[in-house]
Amino acid sequence: MADNIDKRSTWWRKDTVAVVTGANKGIGLEIVRQLARNGVTTILTARNEGRGQSAVSLLKAEGLQNVDFYQLEVTDLKSVEDFAAWLKLRYSGLDILINNAGIHSLDYTDKKQGARDVIDTNYYGVKNVTKELLPLIRTGGRIVNVSSRLGQLQTLNRKDLKQTLSSEEHLSENLIDLFVNEFLAAVNKGEITKQGWPTVDIVGTGPESASDYSVSKIALNAYTKLLAFQLSGRVHINSFCPGYTQTDMTGGLGDKTVKEGADTGVWLALLPPSCYDLPSGKFFGERVQIPF
């Protein structure tokens, strides 16, 4: 577990700053807990102020005084801009960004709206936060995106899309945006299966129940790879799948505890600079690189 990271290889100090989005519960809260236990000053963000403050109070009651809070809505550009300004004024910068905030649409009755909200949060929300905070991330910093194995290219049934997103030479932000917009157009037409988009049945909810979630995570993994290329090692960025974890998002089901689900993300965030071939633009599960 990341709680037991070898302190002999630590590169962080008490003034090292981490930000974790969507962290008032579940995997996000556990990531904050594990980072704080390792001595990292950690900012817990959540869109609901009351729940976020309650989460911080819980952690402080556990003896973790190095936790701060900011109310953040990742889909609201003004909220993200205000957070960046606050962060710069209060901490001057940051070293670790964990993009954890995410939703699914299983509870939506309006599936079109659900798909739009999932893409807006899980993909565009990550872009909003990353782009705004990137100038504040110190050289050698880390970005870790919480993704899913549902975001692997093998879930797509279309060769053209697989080739587009797997090509490091031609991949661009515009192409990823076009990818998600094409999916949303298919949702509006009711042609998800017909057009070869991912059809994933989660616990008997139907073959298209998680299509939007899958597409959002494919886009996120592609963006991770693209940004790693653009950053050229100044900041290391990776994504990971926490596995089937017992959280509200899974209805409490899963074969992993939140402690186990958070482990790989914290491990990626705290890998020492001396680690051979420090990864960037890669996808991980259980601390092992897996195919995008």
Side-chain angles (χ1 to χ4, degrees), residues 197-216:
W197 294 96
T199 51
V200 185
D201 188 353
I202 293 184
V203 290
T205 53
E208 296 182 359
S209 62
S211 294
D212 47 26
Y213 185 82
S214 180
V215 168
S216 73

Side-chain angles (χ1 to χ4, degrees), residues 15 54 68 156 220 291:
D15 59 349
S54 294
D68 204 347
L156 282 171
L220 176 59

Side-chain angles (χ1 to χ4, degrees), residues 25-27 103-104 106-107 202-203 205 213 243-256 258:
K25 60 181 180 179
I27 292 170
I103 63 171
H104 64 63
L106 297 183
D107 299 328
I202 293 184
V203 290
T205 53
Y213 185 82
Y244 192 29
T245 305
Q246 299 158 9
T247 64
D248 286 353
M249 187 174 281
T250 63
L253 301 175
D255 56 11
K256 291 183 182 294
V258 288

Side-chain angles (χ1 to χ4, degrees), residues 96-110:
I96 298 168
L97 169 62
I98 312 282
N99 286 306
N100 169 75
I103 63 171
H104 64 63
S105 64
L106 297 183
D107 299 328
Y108 278 74
T109 53
D110 184 342

